[in-house]
Structures are given as structure tokens and as C-alpha cells.
Amino acid sequence: VMPAMGFLGAPSALSSFPLQAFHPAPATLLRVGAAALRAPRVAQRTERAPLAGLRCSAGVQAWLAENGGKAMCSSSVAGLVATTDLKAGEEACSVSIKSCFTAASARAALSDLADTVDVETAIALQLLFEKSKGASSAWAPWVATLPTRDEMQMPYFWSADDLLLLQGTSVLDAVEENQEALQEEFDQLLSQGWGAKLGDEFTLEAYEWAVALVAARALFAPKFEGQYILAPFVDGAYVGPPTPGVAEFFYEGMFREPRVKVTVGAGGVKKGGRVGVAYDDKSSSQMLLKHGVTGLDGISNGAYEVSFSVSPMDKYRDDKLDILEMNKMSEKITIAFSANDYLTAEDTAFLRLVCLQGMDAFLLESVFRNEVWSFMQEPVSEDNEKMMLDTLIATCEGSLEGFVTSDSADRKVLTGGDSTLRAQYAAVVRMSEKAALKNTILILEEEVETLGEREYYQQRRLRALGLDRPIDESEIVDPDVDIRRENLPFTQQ
């Protein structure tokens, strides 16, 4: 195994596996979708968002009402607050798509320049554009309610001292990787002329703020053009800890007006209570990264993500990459070690292929090229299966070594009463990720104990050929009998 330096602790724990490479990956990038910048221009519809139709009142509640919004709640720094008792399934608020930031609205505001970036980035850039316009923006009342960088709890905006609280976690790795990625994106945007379009306020800090806000609050709507919608006012449901509520895109009325709404979840919400959403069952780490919040009882909702790939030192690397490409697989997969789940069939097949070495390498021959991926769906050999499991165990153990606090110290942070909110969030992430890693180790060790009970490729192959049966007497050949053709009586002249 070739650990990525600086991630897995002591390489000595992994030295017995020289040919497989792996490295921890960030729990999630800020982006939900693809990379921010793209070279080809993607064909888009030509309709324009009716910006001229938006009215701009002094307060966000009045602005919402004047632009077709409906609300049984008010907007605050803490999110949406119910102004009356709301039952489960009841609509808490909704807005017309005409009031939202979408691919079409970005194109209308930024012209064709919006088509040079992906939709999420285009929405983030439109947000900066509207913000730079101040009171003249059609969205000014809502923009004025948005939090500043300092008010956002995403780890990307934490101080260096606060980031130390995340030592050992996959969240810290994600922060570092995304900071580098956003710097590269910002530099590329400058080179494309976005500085001239957005003015002096287009800074790296402003771009990071806009990207983080869109990632945290935009709704993913697969059936809508561009798929991402940043819905003013409704976006307040994405503030605070998870609740059973749901934000969704829908069509209303006989004329099927496209809108976005928040529906109250199970149990309802009392007057004065917070109206929120469930964050799509994200792990504690993912919630903190993307939304700047995590449930303080989310210890069991942990996940630690690690990327695996074929080592550059593997002498069979080209064959393995060819097999992955033939089967439309990426050269790298990211596996979530979870407190609740185990590897998927696709994860396991990928790892078996990566670990294929020695006597099993004959399966990489070209004659098996069209079948080898199907072979990987089941155990190949005991050696291959053991190498895969030992590698995963070593990965988890190496990751655990990166944590510097004990579980008891983490629990004290949560129950002491004098810890900051960020310290509590960090404690939840540490405990949940450690629980996920420990749970995975226990499962893997149990798998190692059952290696002798599994059926491997050779047994399956013999069974398929009908050779996994006792030998019939007629098939037994006496080695002392000369059966060369010239010695058989019926062949002699």
C-alpha cells in the first residue's frame, strides 16, 4: 500500500501491501454537481428570467408578498420562524420561480458569459452581481438579509484556531482541498474577464462566500432546467439543525406555475418554532461542511470518506485502468466508512480489481478482458480477498491515529455547558467519524474470520465446467499403461 503522505499516520502499518494506493478524500466538496469551470459551452434554452417584473419593497416580507410569495413564517437570523401553528404536510412558504436565482436568471443578468461556467457557479456569480448593485438590485431586500462570512458557520470560514478542533477529521482535509480549488477557480474566472463584469467587489473572499451560500441553500431539482434553484426567503429553511421538513420544486394550479416551497415535516411546528429541512440524510461531517451545522445528537450519523485508486507502482496498472474504462468506471472511487452501512457491491469489485496480484493476475489477460469485471463481483481468491480486507483495516486504523482527542474528552465538550458552538460541532464530527471507523474495523475483522468459508473463482469455474464432482472410474488413467496410438491393437495394420 502506498499511503498519501501526511494523511494516514505511520506508513509502517501499511508496509505489507506494496502495490495498492489509496488516500483519504474530502467528505464532500462545496459543489453538489460538477467542477465549477468548463471548457465547452453547453447548449441552453434561450428564455430569459423576467427581472423587470420583480418589485423591490423595503422589507423582505413585503418584497416576498409583492412578488407572488406566500408565507406562514417570518425570516430571521436563525432561519424561518412559524407565525402560526403549522401541521405536518402544510406549506410553510413558497415563492414563484420568477423570484429565484436559476440558470435562466443568471443568463439574463450576466449574458452569455454565464454559459462559460456550470449552473451553481453562475448562480453564485449572479448573487455577487446583484449584491454589487446595492439598493438598485431587484433582490436587494432579500440580499440584505444574507449572512456575512463571519456569520456563516461553514468550516471554510473558521479561524486557524477553530480549525484545529477538526484535527484528524475528513472535514479538515476537505477544507484544505476546497480552499485550493476555489483559489484556482477564482484565478481562472479573473482570466475570463469576470473582474470587469463584477467590479472591484469581485474578490476571492467574496467568491468563497457566494459559492458557500449557494452550495448550502440551493435546491436540487432534477426536472428543472439547470437543476439548481436558489429560492429567496425559502432558503432560510436551510439554516439551523435538521428537521423533518422538505424543500421542493413543484407546479401549482391549472396553469402549472413553477414554484419552490417548504413543507412542514412530521410533528408539525408550533408558533414561534423553527421551520427547517432534513438535509437529505447527510452525515454529520457533510452537514457541517455544506450547511455549517450538525445535530448535537448526530454521533451515530457518522461517515469517514476515503478515495482508492490503482497505484502508479502497480505493474498491472495499464490493464486495470483499461478494464475500468471498458466498464465505464472511474479510475478512483470514494468509499464512505459508515457507522451504519458497509461497502456496496461496486466498491468491493473495484477493490478486488485494485488488489489483483500474483497468481490471480492471469485474469488480467486479454482473453478475459470482457469477463473480468463480472469475475470481480464475487471473491476471486482467499489471498485477494484478504489483501483487500487488510488494506481497508489498515486504512481505518491509520485514519484513527490522526485524531488527537479521546471519546471521553469529546463527550465532555458536549455536556460541559461552557463550550462554543463550533467546539460542539467539531466534537460531534470527531466522535461520529471515529465511531464509523471503529465500526468498519469490527465488520472487516469479522469478514477476515470467514475467508475460509467462501467460494472463490477456481471453485466457481470448476463447478461451471462440471468438474466439481467425484471422478468416475472410467476417467481414471493408469500411468503405467502405454496408450500411445501406435501401441493400441485396433490401430495396427
Side-chain angles (χ1 to χ4, degrees):
V1 176
M2 184 185 69
M5 298 309 296
F7 284 116
L8 292 178
S12 59
L14 313 172
S15 59
S16 58
F17 313 110
L19 294 173
Q20 183 185 7
F22 62 90
H23 59 88
T28 181
L29 295 178
L30 280 175
R31 296 290 193 279
V32 176
L37 303 177
R38 62 177 185 231
R41 176 171 170 170
V42 176
Q44 307 263 11
R45 297 183 189 176
T46 58
E47 60 260 38
R48 303 294 182 182
L51 300 185
L54 286 181
R55 300 176 182 175
C56 190
S57 295
V60 68
Q61 296 284 155
W63 177 88
L64 180 71
E66 289 189 359
N67 290 286
K70 306 173 186 178
M72 304 287 283
C73 51
S74 61
S75 178
S76 72
V77 176
L80 300 181
V81 178
T83 54
T84 185
D85 291 347
L86 297 172
K87 298 178 181 179
E90 193 170 358
E91 181 182 294
C93 61
S94 69
V95 295
S96 169
I97 203 69
K98 293 184 291 185
S99 301
C100 298
F101 285 60
T102 64
S105 73
R107 199 175 308 115
L110 305 171
S111 67
D112 290 343
L113 200 57
D115 288 341
T116 63
V117 296
D118 72 277
V119 174
E120 284 183 281
T121 304
I123 292 174
L125 292 169
Q126 185 195 352
L127 179 58
L128 290 177
F129 181 63
E130 298 300 332
K131 191 171 185 291
S132 70
K133 292 162 66 174
S136 65
S137 169
W139 283 275
W142 168 70
V143 172
T145 68
L146 296 177
T148 64
R149 280 173 58 102
D150 292 339
E151 292 170 336
M152 298 172 75
Q153 293 295 332
M154 289 81 159
Y156 305 98
F157 306 129
W158 288 14
S159 68
D161 289 340
D162 285 340
L163 285 176
L164 289 176
L165 298 170
L166 296 169
Q167 189 171 345
T169 68
S170 60
V171 173
L172 184 58
D173 294 333
V175 170
E176 294 170 349
E177 291 197 17
N178 278 279
Q179 286 173 339
E180 294 177 4
L182 287 172
Q183 177 69 67
E184 292 177 4
E185 288 180 14
F186 178 73
D187 292 341
Q188 190 170 348
L189 289 168
L190 283 178
S191 69
Q192 292 179 349
W194 283 94
K197 180 69 175 179
L198 300 177
D200 294 339
E201 291 193 17
F202 186 51
T203 63
L204 175 61
E205 291 74 17
Y207 179 63
E208 290 173 336
W209 169 82
V211 167
L213 192 137
V214 172
R217 301 189 179 195
L219 171 70
F220 179 66
K223 296 182 179 180
F224 182 73
E225 183 215 350
Q227 299 187 324
Y228 293 96
I229 306 169
L230 180 59
F233 195 89
V234 166
D235 70 301
Y238 289 94
V239 178
T243 74
V246 177
E248 57 187 333
F249 169 77
F250 73 109
Y251 293 97
E252 182 178 71
M254 182 173 61
F255 297 104
R256 294 180 57 78
E257 179 195 7
R259 298 180 68 86
V260 178
K261 68 178 178 180
V262 174
T263 303
V264 177
V269 178
K270 294 293 184 182
K271 180 179 179 180
R274 191 176 67 84
V275 177
V277 294
Y279 297 130
D280 301 324
D281 297 322
K282 292 183 176 68
S283 69
S284 298
S285 301
Q286 291 170 329
M287 276 195 289
L288 183 61
L289 271 169
K290 190 170 179 182
H291 301 287
V293 67
T294 188
L296 297 181
D297 57 350
I299 308 303
S300 61
N301 188 31
Y304 189 100
E305 297 192 3
V306 178
S307 287
F308 293 80
S309 62
V310 182
S311 169
M313 303 185 324
D314 191 336
K315 64 180 179 180
Y316 304 112
R317 174 181 170 83
D318 290 343
D319 290 317
K320 293 177 180 180
L321 294 182
D322 183 47
I323 291 166
L324 291 172
E325 182 179 0
M326 285 180 61
N327 290 277
K328 296 180 172 56
M329 291 288 295
S330 170
E331 296 182 9
K332 180 178 73 173
I333 62 169
T334 299
I335 296 175
F337 295 132
S338 169
N340 303 310
D341 300 317
Y342 189 48
L343 303 178
T344 66
E346 191 171 87
D347 293 340
T348 306
F350 183 99
L351 293 172
R352 286 182 181 132
L353 178 67
V354 169
C355 290
L356 209 61
Q357 304 292 338
M359 296 293 290
D360 299 319
F362 76 94
L363 293 173
L364 298 173
E365 296 290 342
S366 58
V367 67
F368 296 114
R369 192 53 48 97
N370 293 327
E371 300 176 277
V372 64
W373 184 248
S374 65
F375 296 158
M376 297 299 110
Q377 306 303 314
E378 298 181 87
V380 176
S381 70
E382 187 167 343
D383 286 344
N384 177 263
E385 203 78 353
K386 188 174 188 303
M387 181 178 182
M388 178 187 71
L389 294 172
D390 285 347
T391 299
L392 292 171
I393 291 172
T395 302
C396 293
E397 291 175 342
S399 299
L400 281 171
E401 291 177 4
F403 291 90
V404 296
T405 60
S406 64
D407 287 345
S408 59
D410 291 337
R411 281 191 291 270
K412 186 176 180 181
V413 171
L414 294 177
T415 60
D418 57 350
S419 301
T420 66
L421 186 59
R422 289 182 178 180
Q424 292 179 336
Y425 285 165
V428 169
V429 168
R430 292 195 302 267
M431 292 184 71
S432 65
E433 289 195 357
K434 284 188 287 186
L437 291 167
K438 291 174 182 177
N439 179 72
T440 302
I441 290 173
L442 290 176
I443 294 174
L444 294 171
E445 288 176 342
E446 290 176 0
E447 294 284 320
V448 172
E449 295 297 321
T450 64
L451 288 177
E453 304 170 10
R454 302 183 185 184
E455 183 181 61
Y456 298 102
Y457 172 79
Q458 286 187 347
Q459 290 95 327
R460 294 195 302 274
R461 191 64 173 169
L462 289 172
R463 177 163 45 80
L465 295 173
L467 300 177
D468 62 334
R469 54 178 173 76
I471 299 176
D472 187 86
E473 289 187 7
S474 63
E475 298 174 307
I476 300 176
V477 177
D478 188 341
D480 296 326
V481 176
D482 189 349
I483 59 171
R484 286 177 295 180
R485 180 177 177 85
E486 60 270 19
N487 293 331
L488 297 176
F490 58 80
T491 64
Q492 296 179 5
Q493 300 296 327

